[in-house]
Amino acid sequence: MPSEIMQVIQNQEAQLTDSEMISDETGSQFLSFIVGNEEFSVNILRVQEIRAWEQPTFLPNSPEYIKGVLNLRGTIVPVMDLRRRFRFKNFEYNATTVIIILKSQYSDKNCLMGCVVDAVSDVFNMEESKIFDVPDYGSEIDGRFTAGVMTIDGHAVTLLNLENLLSLDLIDHPYAGGQVSNG
Amino acid sequence: MEIDLSQFHQVFFEESFEGLDTMEQELLHLEAGSDLENINTIFRAAHSIKGGSATFSFKEIADFTHVLETLLDEMREGSRPVTREVVDLLLKSVDCLRGMLTRTQKEEDMGDSHIELINYFNELLSGEAPQEKDDAVEQEVNLSLSEPQDQSPWTIKFVPESYILETGNEPLRMFRELKAFGALDVKANLEKVPDFDELKAEECYMSWDLSLDSEIEIEAIKEVFEWVEDDCVLEIARQEKTETQAEQNTQEELTAEAFDTDSEAVVEKTKKADKPVKSQPAEQDKPASSQPQQKLVSVKKDVPPKTEKKTAASASIRVGIDKVDTLIDLVGELVITQSMLGELGENFDMSKLNQLISGLSELEQNTRELQESVMRIRMLPIGFVFNRLPRMVRDLSSQLGKKVNLEIKGESTELDKTVMEQIGDPLTHLVRNALDHGIESVEKRVEQGKDEEGTLILNAFHQGGNIVIEVVDDGGGIDPDIIYEKAVDKGLIQPGTDIPRDHILSLIMEPGFSTAEIVSDVSGRGVGMDVVKRNINNLGGSVEIHSELGQGTTFTIRLPLTLAILDGQLIKVANEVFVLPLVSIIESVPLTMAEISTIAGDMKVYKLHDEYVPIIDLKDEFEIKHELTNVSDGLLAIVEGENRRIALRIDELLGQQQVVIKSLESHYKSIQGVSGATILGDGRVSLILDIVGLAKRASERASRKRERVA
């Protein structure tokens, strides 16, 4: 089926030019990063900043993917290790390990969460129409955490569902109460 | 160029409201024992408001305060006794003034509520001291009135005291106001102006002869000088036209316009130079400088240009001068460190590395301290809220015919301004409730053998990272049975439901619940307590009710201190550093010396005097990963919270320091046993332990264990 192959190549070429364009009015910009051996991405507007890895302060009784809290210029921000969250087996903290501070909404409040990843990779543009659903075949990563898959430079990049990934309701922390909505 | 007076309105309103608060507090004290100093304070506050409002042409307020002042003046001179009636009237007028100021601030219509009070004042004044009915001012100002039908111009001799500029008064402004009435000639008398070398910029050496061609009444002219009447010699009279004209030409003269432009230029220059020139006369027109007795500095939160003046007042806080001084000291240190580093950087070599490192750590230290003290500025003593309650208690108790003694404790407990703003209403509500439903009438109290004067205690203190506010009355208490019946009545609970006593009491905080037999004017419409509860919950706090029938009721409000500061003891458990609130620590003992016994199978307890205190090993409790340590290493910290005592097994006691409490909940969940977090000297986060939470965890786990066994 040569015509189908041609189609794929054309698609890829189109994407290549997309990713090379600095500003694309029709698509959105994404930040991609590496967790384990895979590449993931989030909408760049959800990224507040990227910090070098530092050991956060331990939180009592926390599930193992919650590494603790860190001091972000005076605010206390929780840190989640995505490799633990995605149940990957091997990980280490090295020079490329970073904490991406992501923004989310929780009961009408702006919340921040630090996410530990192995390395940041790239920033690229992508049209919404080129993001596909993740086939549901019982992946290791909880299906609620993924929002779609896209192709960058010929390899698959998983788009994360930050609403679920960062949701405090989905974090099972013993002895932790609900979040008090103060104002 | 006209100086926009409205830019000072905000300051005027702030100061006036403060003045009113002062008046109110002093008036309340006035009852207890009449001291001349009290009356003087009230008088000064009223006088400032009068002067200020006259300056800004808020005529109604100025008129009103004028009458008020006349009465106060009589009290000051002792010609009018301090009676409850007079104090009541004065308190009422404070309220009235507050209303007038608020309406003026919002640029609303004044209404005529104050007219009635003015009339009442006049009646009171004329009834007992008719000769004083007119302005008290008249005695101080030399007047020579002539017939009004004589249309010759007014001549005004104005000889201000040399310190007039320091009191914040600007003759130019007054002259300009006079000019609005008609043609004005201004002659400045410069005789007393010394040589330039001896001249002090902040003193006024000039006097003026003015001639005003206008048909206005003398009162209008006096009003212009109202603010300075005590600080000058003022003569106002109608005079022959010819005389004035002749004199005018002989003397050195300065027209109002010329003076005007001159002083504007001074202002311009001052601004351009960007250096505060000491007391330029033209700068003195801020009323802010007129209250030296207050040892507080007003810190503006935002200093916007002149936009949105008409909308609500911009928030500002008053901060103790010591806090500002600390800030200045810290900035000074920062500047020194910075210049030291700068010098170091200019010719740096590796031999100076140690110097650089220590310099940098000093810089870090300075910066952090600066940050902390800036945050501390937001903390205000809770007295700001408490202070408005005595007035209410006084009014309410007389309205209800009860005798109540209000005790206030812990006014200096600090809490964040935002929390404080929101705690005011719930607290007012609780106090109202305590007065209305709690404390019984005099007859009833006597019947029950109690002191006929009821006691209401307001107490505030820090506990376990919370601020606790107690409202305690020694009234009738709440009958759980009545509450229960009522709750069934209102359909809040099913009949026959078994509820623990404590929970029954908290039913009164459900929406639509009111226990008062008679719905009174004061409270009891069933919209009170649920609002209190909701407000406090919104702040992340809680309310507890404790009541003994016939003994009284205690409401305990517990609020988190989002920004509050706590005296902390740093402790080490494995490799983690935690903060224990210093107040909660009773003692600490090395494990080797501790008397530990095992009771009830596997529960370890520490014997403290006559009491067995359960031991909680923080490593196990918090599931901290650690290497196995010797069982007898470490120590026990015996801590207390809400009358519960526990012994915490920790590894080491570190230093003590004040910590700024930060909320975990702003980006995460609350964790039982942790009241918040703080940032330590090295920039790392450390968790603050909550003793009550820890104790609850331990006992809940114990009960779960029991259930499993059963």
Side-chain angles (χ1 to χ4, degrees), chain A residues 3-99:
Chain A
S3 65
E4 276 180 31
I5 293 166
M6 281 302 291
Q7 185 69 45
V8 169
I9 291 167
Q10 272 166 10
N11 275 350
Q12 277 181 4
E13 276 171 356
Q15 277 158 14
L16 269 177
T17 47
D18 271 357
S19 66
E20 274 155 12
M21 283 167 74
I22 292 159
S23 68
D24 183 347
E25 296 300 321
T26 58
S28 314
Q29 278 200 311
F30 293 87
L31 172 78
S32 68
F33 46 84
I34 294 165
V35 182
N37 298 321
E38 287 180 38
E39 202 165 337
F40 295 87
S41 68
V42 292
N43 190 317
I44 202 150
L45 296 176
R46 303 291 292 270
V47 180
Q48 162 142 338
E49 63 185 273
I50 300 172
R51 290 167 66 92
W53 162 252
E54 59 177 295
Q55 180 71 46
T57 297
F58 163 87
L59 280 179
N61 317 99
S62 54
E64 61 176 12
Y65 51 83
I66 295 294
K67 297 303 292 177
V69 284
L70 60 79
N71 164 20
L72 188 75
R73 290 179 296 279
T75 34
I76 311 289
V77 176
V79 177
M80 176 195 283
D81 193 328
L82 287 188
R83 301 163 303 185
R84 292 273 200 182
R85 191 67 168 140
F86 297 158
R87 296 191 213 131
F88 291 159
K89 299 240 157 41
N90 299 315
F91 52 85
E92 57 180 8
Y93 298 99
N94 57 28
T96 61
T97 310
V98 291
I99 302 174

Side-chain angles (χ1 to χ4, degrees), chain B residues 373-661:
Chain B
S373 29
V374 170
M375 307 239 284
R376 224 161 282 176
I377 279 184
R378 286 184 62 90
M379 306 287 292
L380 296 173
I382 197 166
F384 278 84
V385 178
F386 280 180
N387 282 344
R388 64 193 213 201
L389 296 170
R391 166 77 196 278
M392 200 187 76
V393 170
R394 176 189 184 277
D395 287 0
L396 270 185
S397 52
S398 65
Q399 192 185 332
L400 295 164
K402 294 176 180 178
K403 284 192 177 170
V404 181
N405 175 32
L406 178 71
E407 273 179 47
I408 292 180
K409 295 176 186 168
E411 305 111 293
S412 58
T413 312
E414 292 199 327
L415 79 164
D416 189 69
K417 182 172 182 281
T418 43
V419 178
M420 179 134 72
E421 277 163 0
Q422 293 180 58
I423 193 62
D425 288 343
L427 209 57
T428 313
H429 231 110
L430 286 178
V431 171
R432 276 170 173 276
N433 265 335
L435 286 174
D436 198 16
H437 309 315
I439 291 172
E440 315 92 325
S441 58
V442 176
E443 302 84 54
K444 212 169 168 189
R445 287 186 72 89
V446 172
E447 211 171 278
Q448 289 174 340
K450 288 182 182 177
D451 192 349
E452 67 175 33
E453 193 180 56
T455 307
L456 183 67
I457 302 170
L458 283 171
N459 191 11
F461 52 94
H462 282 156
Q463 189 189 57
N466 289 313
I467 180 161
V468 179
I469 304 167
E470 289 178 337
V471 181
V472 186
D473 69 63
D474 66 346
I478 307 172
D479 190 344
D481 296 336
I482 294 180
I483 305 289
Y484 189 87
E485 275 169 39
K486 195 106 178 186
V488 173
D489 254 20
K490 303 235 168 187
L492 292 170
I493 50 169
Q494 292 297 319
T497 327
D498 189 24
I499 311 176
R501 198 189 144 93
D502 290 359
H503 290 208
I504 294 179
L505 290 185
S506 54
L507 281 173
I508 66 168
M509 291 186 288
E510 293 300 317
F513 197 97
S514 174
T515 57
E517 312 267 308
I518 311 152
V519 171
S520 74
D521 190 29
V522 181
S523 56
R525 290 188 195 84
V527 287
M529 288 306 292
D530 62 311
V531 177
V532 170
K533 189 184 174 189
R534 202 172 54 233
N535 281 358
I536 290 168
N537 284 354
N538 282 347
L539 285 168
S542 64
V543 197
E544 276 170 35
I545 310 170
H546 179 79
S547 182
E548 290 291 331
L549 204 54
Q551 304 287 310
T553 311
T554 302
F555 286 90
T556 310
I557 303 172
R558 212 168 286 278
L559 287 170
L561 305 168
T562 28
L563 266 169
I565 286 155
L566 178 112
D567 279 314
Q569 166 73 54
L570 305 190
I571 57 164
K572 199 167 180 188
V573 181
N575 286 320
E576 305 296 332
V577 176
F578 294 97
V579 180
L580 272 177
L582 204 55
V583 285
S584 69
I585 301 177
I586 300 170
E587 61 177 41
S588 64
V589 273
L591 269 174
T592 44
M593 299 182 40
E595 203 178 312
I596 297 175
S597 24
T598 307
I599 58 166
D602 61 347
M603 187 164 77
K604 289 219 166 95
V605 290
Y606 168 73
K607 189 164 184 288
L608 175 77
H609 314 305
D610 301 332
E611 189 186 353
Y612 286 103
V613 182
I615 297 175
I616 295 176
D617 190 331
L618 277 180
K619 278 185 219 132
D620 298 338
E621 185 64 42
F622 282 172
E623 297 167 50
I624 305 173
K625 284 186 199 110
H626 60 95
E627 285 148 29
L628 280 178
T629 45
N630 199 330
V631 191
S632 60
D633 279 356
L635 35 88
L636 284 180
I638 291 88
V639 289
E640 181 184 43
E642 275 181 45
N643 296 321
R644 281 209 244 196
R645 284 173 185 177
I646 48 174
L648 298 177
R649 192 184 155 190
I650 60 176
D651 287 341
E652 222 180 304
L653 283 174
L654 305 172
Q656 294 177 358
Q657 71 176 74
Q658 283 206 324
V659 297
V660 178
I661 301 169

